[in-house]
Amino acid sequence: MAVESAVERLFNFSAGPAAIPLSVLQQAQSDLLSLPGCGASVMEISHRSPQFGAVMEDAEQRLRRLLGMPDDYRVLFLQGGSRLQFSMVPMNLLGADRTANYLLTGAWGKNALSEAVKVGPTKVVWDGASTNYDRLPERDDVVVDDDAAYLHVTSNETIQGVQFQEDLDWGTVPVVSDMSSDFLSRPVDVSRYGLIYACAQKNAGLSGLTVVIIREDLLQRSQESLPGYLNYRSHVEANSLWNTPPTFGIYLFGLVAKWLEEEIGGLAAMQTQNQHQAQRLYDAVDASEGFYQGHAQPASRSLMNVTFRLPNDELQSQFLAEAAEHRLDALKGHRSVGGIRASIYNAMTDAGVDALRDFMNDFRSRNATA
Ligand SMILES: Cc1ncc(COP(=O)(O)O)c(C=O)c1O
């Protein structure tokens, strides 16, 4: 049964919700009717039961181990997607007397800013709009206010395909990073951040779960007057049980974390796999003599979302149609930028990347004009 369903599966390049490791899906399938020792599905038991408590504790501890998270950081399992974090971050961390700094490297950073301006004073410290978000800034080009409430960055811009490969550190200014589309794709020094958030549906399981990691001292900024759900302190004090959390998503997140620890061998090994996979696709772009034009400048390229265009719209449509015949799925670029986007998150297999690379080379040899 499991093998048959594996055979039917496409090479899934979806930007999110995205591919989930096969062994995680198989484990979820086998636990679906009864979580071992439970007699019921994880979806059917109380979020306050000891059985679910063990599931959530295991998920958190695995996350802490994977990231080597310092003790003064709290983990929250929330709902509302990363878009809710676009509002919760300023509502909790930005007082009336300070300014939030935003570094814009693509569409998601802009979206985050558009929610923050509704809450309080903001300042854009760098904006890649003039080159259509094809690159990251040089460090010296970004001047952050010494007394900024926080600096918001998007570690990987999912639509444009530009990614910071290093942790950002701005001294005493807390860095808030939207890691939605590269969470757990590489080791991260959590101590450099004030807050990290990521929706789970790209690298960490299911939509409906958002993971927030917050440095404890920042919780003092959350005002009592905030609506309960929107206050980080409510969730910290209730250990993510302030309301009913997304229980199945937390369970699946735990399985993904287990897969990362026990099958992949941790985040450094995950990073190496991601580097090799992305390199194979970028090599195909670079060797194509301009047939494929990458969107991101080479030094800013994402290991998660490989974005490129073909010489014209007709060839692009043909590329997508023929790719589908080769079981290469969900390669159409985001509607706002067009082109092709291959999302190769953690669960992407070498076989999937090789199949796409071979198809790209073959398609080019048949369609490039000499
Ligand atoms: C970098 C980034 N931030 C935020 C979001 C929004 O996430 P959600 O749809 O879970 O609110 C996405 C979704 O694609 C994303 O890629």
Side-chain angles (χ1 to χ4, degrees):
M1 175 75 169
V3 173
E4 274 168 24
S5 55
V7 169
E8 285 164 17
R9 284 168 64 78
L10 300 167
F11 294 123
N12 181 0
F13 294 91
S14 171
I20 292 174
L22 185 61
S23 63
V24 168
L25 292 176
Q26 287 170 332
Q27 183 66 52
Q29 185 183 42
S30 105
D31 291 351
L32 194 66
L33 300 186
S34 172
L35 192 65
C38 205
S41 162
V42 70
M43 289 180 279
E44 301 170 298
I45 58 174
S46 167
H47 56 298
R48 301 191 190 281
S49 64
Q51 291 95 336
F52 183 73
V55 167
M56 191 155 83
E57 178 64 14
D58 181 64
E60 175 171 342
Q61 290 311 323
R62 287 185 184 280
L63 176 64
R64 287 185 170 276
R65 282 199 297 275
L66 279 165
L67 288 171
M69 198 185 302
D71 290 342
D72 60 333
Y73 283 77
R74 303 298 296 260
V75 175
L76 303 178
F77 294 115
L78 304 183
Q79 304 181 57
S82 287
R83 282 218 187 233
L84 185 59
Q85 294 312 306
F86 294 171
S87 302
M88 278 179 78
V89 165
M91 288 172 100
N92 285 266
L93 302 188
L94 175 59
D97 53 338
R98 282 208 277 187
T99 300
N101 286 189
Y102 278 72
L103 197 167
L104 306 184
T105 49
W108 287 110
K110 270 182 17 177
N111 287 333
L113 173 68
S114 68
E115 294 301 319
V117 295
K118 299 175 188 169
V119 179
T122 58
K123 178 175 156 186
V124 174
V125 291
W126 191 82
D127 186 353
S130 64
T131 59
N132 199 15
Y133 298 111
D134 70 347
R135 71 193 66 194
L136 301 171
E138 297 295 334
R139 167 100 196 190
D140 291 347
D141 295 340
V142 184
V143 182
V144 174
D145 296 334
D146 290 339
D147 60 348
Y150 59 85
L151 169 68
H152 184 281
V153 300
T154 310
S155 56
N156 181 62
E157 280 287 356
T158 324
I159 292 175
Q160 284 80 12
V162 299
Q163 182 185 22
F164 288 98
Q165 305 296 340
E166 308 283 326
D167 294 317
L168 295 170
D169 193 338
W170 247 276
T172 55
V173 177
V175 176
V176 173
S177 185
D178 174 358
M179 294 195 185
S180 295
S181 51
D182 63 356
F183 192 47
L184 303 180
S185 70
R186 66 174 178 89
V188 163
D189 179 356
V190 175
S191 71
R192 301 234 196 144
Y193 297 87
L195 189 148
I196 291 168
Y197 62 91
C199 49
Q201 68 266 22
K202 296 160 196 299
N203 252 347
L206 283 191
S207 61
L209 168 67
T210 307
V211 179
V212 173
I213 298 170
I214 183 167
R215 206 176 65 210
E216 254 167 14
D217 62 290
L218 294 174
L219 292 165
Q220 291 163 8
R221 296 195 193 176
S222 303
Q223 300 294 317
E224 276 306 316
S225 55
L226 283 173
Y229 192 89
L230 303 181
N231 190 324
Y232 288 128
R233 261 196 292 153
S234 313
H235 300 288
V236 165
E237 284 164 10
N239 198 20
S240 294
L241 298 177
W242 189 78
N243 72 328
T244 313
T247 51
F248 194 75
I250 294 169
Y251 155 79
L252 209 83
F253 174 76
L255 293 186
V256 171
K258 184 168 189 255
W259 170 80
L260 279 167
E261 274 195 301
E262 296 177 10
E263 289 186 51
I264 297 297
L267 297 187
M270 192 71 256
Q271 180 179 35
T272 302
Q273 179 179 309
N274 287 329
Q275 284 167 337
H276 287 153
Q277 290 188 354
Q279 193 59 49
R280 273 180 267 170
L281 297 186
Y282 286 123
D283 283 350
V285 169
D286 292 341
S288 75
E289 296 173 334
F291 184 75
Y292 299 116
Q293 294 142 35
H295 177 77
Q297 295 295 313
S300 305
R301 284 170 165 173
S302 168
L303 304 185
M304 299 281 101
N305 310 96
V306 177
T307 50
F308 57 92
R309 303 187 70 83
L310 279 78
N312 58 54
D313 289 347
E314 203 185 333
L315 275 174
Q316 241 152 232
S317 303
Q318 194 184 328
F319 180 97
L320 290 168
E322 290 187 26
E325 287 166 20
H326 288 76
R327 301 173 51 242
L328 300 164
D329 190 50
L331 285 163
K332 196 170 191 311
H334 188 271
R335 58 191 180 281
S336 64
V337 294
I340 307 294
R341 172 173 53 173
S343 296
I344 48 171
Y345 300 122
N346 287 351
M348 176 52 63
T349 57
D350 286 348
V353 167
D354 288 346
L356 175 57
R357 188 250 340 254
D358 293 348
F359 171 73
M360 286 171 70
N361 289 338
D362 178 56
F363 187 87
R364 175 176 67 99
S365 69
R366 285 184 287 109
N367 291 286
T369 45

